[in-house]
Amino acid sequence: MEFVYRELQIEPTNRCNLHCSICSHTLLDPPKARDLTLAEFKSILERLKNNNIERVFLQGLGEPFLNRELNAMILYASQRNIFVYTTTNGNILNEEIIQGMISCGLNELRVSIDAPGVKLYEQIKCGGKLERVIDAVKLINKKKKECGVSRPTLRLNAVAMKDTISQLPQLIHMAASLGFVEVSLIPLVVHGRGWATDEHNISVLAFDELKGLISQAKKIAGELGIELVSGVSTQRHSEAMAMEQPVAPKCYYSMYVQSNGDFSPCCNIPLRFGNLFDEEIADILNGEKMSKLRAFIQQAKPSCHNCVNFAYNLMHC
């Protein structure tokens, strides 16, 4: 398989308005606060124009909409026929931001809601208010209708945890009622702190119990017209390994740029391969670190599901 870079993940900011009990931003030493500027964003796309970038994912460690130039970045990319999507915890979305994302051509918005109940949601999303997020999603739907547009498409992200997985059916019902087209289970990365510990990891559940919960959720999602997308976890159920489907590693086709310009093939690979603000992109892509990574991938032929940070996939049960 050739390395053809068509997707670019860019971190608009590493600042966040919440202190989630499962997030590295809260649990580990935070980086020096920095917002990407619009000029820097334009420079990144310009320097990568020969790569024919098709998709830009505006997301990193922080809450993207804390960057006041985010909608301008969305507009700049969309005017170049690039598919643009981002994520949000939804707690700072107001009418001005929402109208801006719609007017600027955001294709897809992923909203992070880990639990459908207020108590558990707020234990995970420390400082967040579930009611505030629900109101914001309703306002997005209202504004889309007023503008006569169907985008941004709404997708819901939920971290798969032992504490939340039993509430997945209720979460799917919530998603359907709010106009989401997808619920995506994403990994709990175990940091050994806060709620990001083995005891909260979904892998502590018996495999048969987990399989039953997922099967029930898939049935409900199908009945409601919701796509349920499997996520992964940092601890593997050995019984699930054979069920995984081969997926090309993201680093075959994507690149990740932090708000300070640091470059890596994927946001889940904690290695610095260079800096786009200080080095030529060709020097980074053809450098020793990237060459070693490519050689390893070509030899080992891993998928994202068996990467060091990933583990199980039950959607194909």
Side-chain angles (χ1 to χ4, degrees), residues 213-225:
L213 290 168
I214 294 294
S215 296
Q216 178 194 20
K218 287 172 65 176
K219 182 176 182 295
I220 294 171
E223 292 170 350
L224 295 173

Side-chain angles (χ1 to χ4, degrees), residues 205-244:
L205 297 175
F207 179 72
D208 287 342
E209 179 184 1
L210 182 56
K211 181 177 179 180
L213 290 168
I214 294 294
S215 296
Q216 178 194 20
K218 287 172 65 176
K219 182 176 182 295
I220 294 171
E223 292 170 350
L224 295 173
I226 296 288
E227 184 177 4
L228 181 59
V229 178
S230 74
V232 286
S233 175
T234 52
Q235 302 261 336
R236 182 186 297 276
H237 275 285
S238 58
E239 297 95 330
M241 293 177 66
M243 300 177 191
E244 294 183 355

Side-chain angles (χ1 to χ4, degrees), residues 30 51 64 94 105 110 161 173 204 222 226 233 250 281:
N51 289 80
N94 56 32
R110 293 182 169 269
M161 302 171 62
H173 278 283
V204 302
I226 296 288
S233 175
K250 192 172 184 179
I281 182 63

Side-chain angles (χ1 to χ4, degrees), residues 39-54:
E40 289 170 338
F41 177 76
K42 290 179 177 180
S43 173
I44 292 170
L45 289 189
E46 178 63 25
R47 295 176 65 185
L48 290 168
K49 64 181 180 181
N50 292 333
N51 289 80
N52 297 316
I53 298 298
E54 298 171 355

Side-chain angles (χ1 to χ4, degrees), residues 56-263:
V56 168
F57 183 24
L58 288 166
Q59 189 265 341
L61 278 183
E63 163 55 45
F65 287 98
L66 284 176
N67 188 324
R68 293 182 177 275
E69 293 188 300
L70 183 70
N71 280 334
M73 296 177 192
I74 293 169
L75 178 62
Y76 184 82
S78 64
Q79 288 177 334
R80 282 150 184 78
N81 297 317
I82 296 174
F83 184 97
V84 191
Y85 64 116
T86 188
T87 61
T88 181
N89 60 51
N91 278 268
I92 64 168
L93 299 184
N94 56 32
E95 186 168 0
E96 180 182 0
I97 292 174
I98 289 170
Q99 185 62 61
M101 73 170 75
I102 293 172
S103 300
C104 292
L106 182 66
N107 294 95
E108 177 179 298
L109 181 67
R110 293 182 169 269
V111 184
S112 178
I113 304 177
D114 299 313
V118 171
K119 182 178 180 180
L120 188 53
Y121 171 89
E122 294 180 1
Q123 285 179 310
I124 298 170
K125 290 281 191 285
C126 301
K129 295 293 182 183
L130 181 58
E131 183 179 1
R132 186 186 301 151
V133 180
I134 291 173
D135 287 345
V137 174
K138 289 178 178 178
L139 184 57
I140 292 172
N141 288 323
K142 178 184 177 183
K143 289 296 181 181
K144 285 165 58 177
K145 185 175 182 179
E146 290 176 355
C147 295
V149 297
S150 59
R151 63 185 186 183
T153 302
L154 297 177
R155 303 182 189 274
L156 188 151
N157 284 351
V159 174
M161 302 171 62
K162 180 201 73 174
D163 312 76
T164 60
I165 196 68
S166 64
Q167 298 184 13
L168 184 54
Q170 296 97 305
L171 188 66
I172 293 170
H173 278 283
M174 173 189 285
S177 70
L178 292 173
F180 288 97
V181 301
E182 173 189 292
V183 171
S184 178
L185 302 179
I186 60 176
L188 172 67
V189 178
V190 175
H191 299 294
R193 304 178 185 180
W195 280 37
T197 59
D198 289 334
E199 65 182 292
H200 292 286
N201 201 338
I202 199 171
S203 63
V204 302
L205 297 175
F207 179 72
D208 287 342
E209 179 184 1
L210 182 56
K211 181 177 179 180
L213 290 168
I214 294 294
S215 296
Q216 178 194 20
K218 287 172 65 176
K219 182 176 182 295
I220 294 171
E223 292 170 350
L224 295 173
I226 296 288
E227 184 177 4
L228 181 59
V229 178
S230 74
V232 286
S233 175
T234 52
Q235 302 261 336
R236 182 186 297 276
H237 275 285
S238 58
E239 297 95 330
M241 293 177 66
M243 300 177 191
E244 294 183 355
Q245 302 298 305
V247 178
K250 192 172 184 179
C251 42
Y252 269 110
Y253 60 86
S254 181
M255 297 175 278
Y256 175 55
V257 184
Q258 297 181 38
S259 57
N260 65 358
D262 281 353
F263 172 92

